[in-house]
Amino acid sequence: MLSAIARAEAVRVRDCAAADLDLLLADVATWVDVDTPGGEHEALDALARVLALVSKRYGLEPELIETPGGLALHATLRGAGRARVALLGHHDTVFPLGTAAERPFRRDAERCYGPGVADMKGGVAVALHTARLLAEGPRPFAVLEVVSVPDEESRDGGPPSGGRLLDMDAVFCLECGRPNGEVVSRRKGARWFRIHAKGRAAHAGEAPDDGRNAALALAREALRIGELHGARPDLTLQVTGLAAGESLNTVPSSGSLAADLRTWSEADLEWALEQALRFGEHDGVELSYEDLGGPPPFERTPGVAALAEAAIELGGELGHVFGETAAGGVSDGSWTAAKGIPTLDGLGPVGGEDHTPWEYVETASFAPRCGVVAGLVAAIDAGLLEEVG
Ligand SMILES: [Zn+2]
């Protein structure tokens, strides 16, 4: 199935990355040792400029794009083939300023540690070093674009500069691989919403029947909506908030209910939402819906499946054995996948304990991950995704 060039590039890039591992790890150490919490524009932009300089040194053409969360790096490498592929990452972390001073980058015999080493400065290193090494070979792609955004951890919607990726054949997201190496080929989508109820206040003792009880209407709706939990396989729907009432002796005139809905597919998401909004009659209490957004499902389409299977096969070629899995959390890969761009996630170094002081990556996984990503780029150039249409 895999083309000869894909296998050859995977091996070549893996071998070169292993030979130059100190260079890659020096980059990771430099980036981990500067804190870049979401919202700290000065720190984020400083690191984006460093990443731009490094990508230029590695043969890419960097562009820094202003976005509300800070500068986004889009660094391009042009090749001799036809594939258009993006390597997607982020350089913000969840750790406040001062964290790196307390526990800077360090490595022991097997692992590297430090704030953001897995989520996901290690992944940005895999992206940039894969590009650096692909630049030294036959360049089996038309465009390879390394992207690092400044606000993945803190943003509600998709990446503001993500529109530039719409004409890509595939997007590889470099969040770290799961602890046993698995890549991520599916993520649930979520929708958060509120139901607002508007009734009429009245004195609860003097004129109760003049009132229209918003609390009771919401309570009935909460029970009905809660029944949708599990109505389809793996569909979860939890009522996460319920509030109404102005005083002990007043018929409640208003209130609201909050809910968290999650599914594997857009079809299930739409279905459940439609069911949730089939309000009952509540004798003069009006209900309205407020959409609070949420990430779309990252579905395992035939294109995604082809990428996952090719990645696993390439891993096997390199003696780096792993499988694929579904993940609960969201990444920027969710947004590109929802746009219909074949996307594969978890291609960064193997690691775990994200968002904790114990966050780590396996040092020996950097080079084979570079090889897998390089092989995937070459496989797409050789027509991997044409078979699935
Ligand atoms: Zn991340």
Side-chain angles (χ1 to χ4, degrees), residues 90 92 118-120 152-153 175-176 330-331 354-355:
H90 63 86
D92 56 323
D119 189 14
M120 61 172 287
E152 192 265 355
E153 300 285 4
E175 294 284 354
C176 69
V330 185
S331 85
D354 295 17
H355 298 198

Side-chain angles (χ1 to χ4, degrees), residues 195-199 212-228 238-245 252-259 276 278-282 285-287:
I195 310 288
H196 296 279
K198 198 165 166 29
R212 294 292 177 268
N213 195 317
L216 282 179
L218 283 170
R220 285 185 213 107
E221 289 298 334
L223 290 172
R224 187 187 63 81
I225 289 169
E227 290 290 319
L228 289 166
Q238 292 297 302
V239 172
T240 51
L242 198 51
S253 67
S254 67
S256 70
L257 168 166
R278 290 190 174 178
F279 301 139
E281 281 297 316
H282 301 286
V285 178
E286 274 174 43
L287 299 177

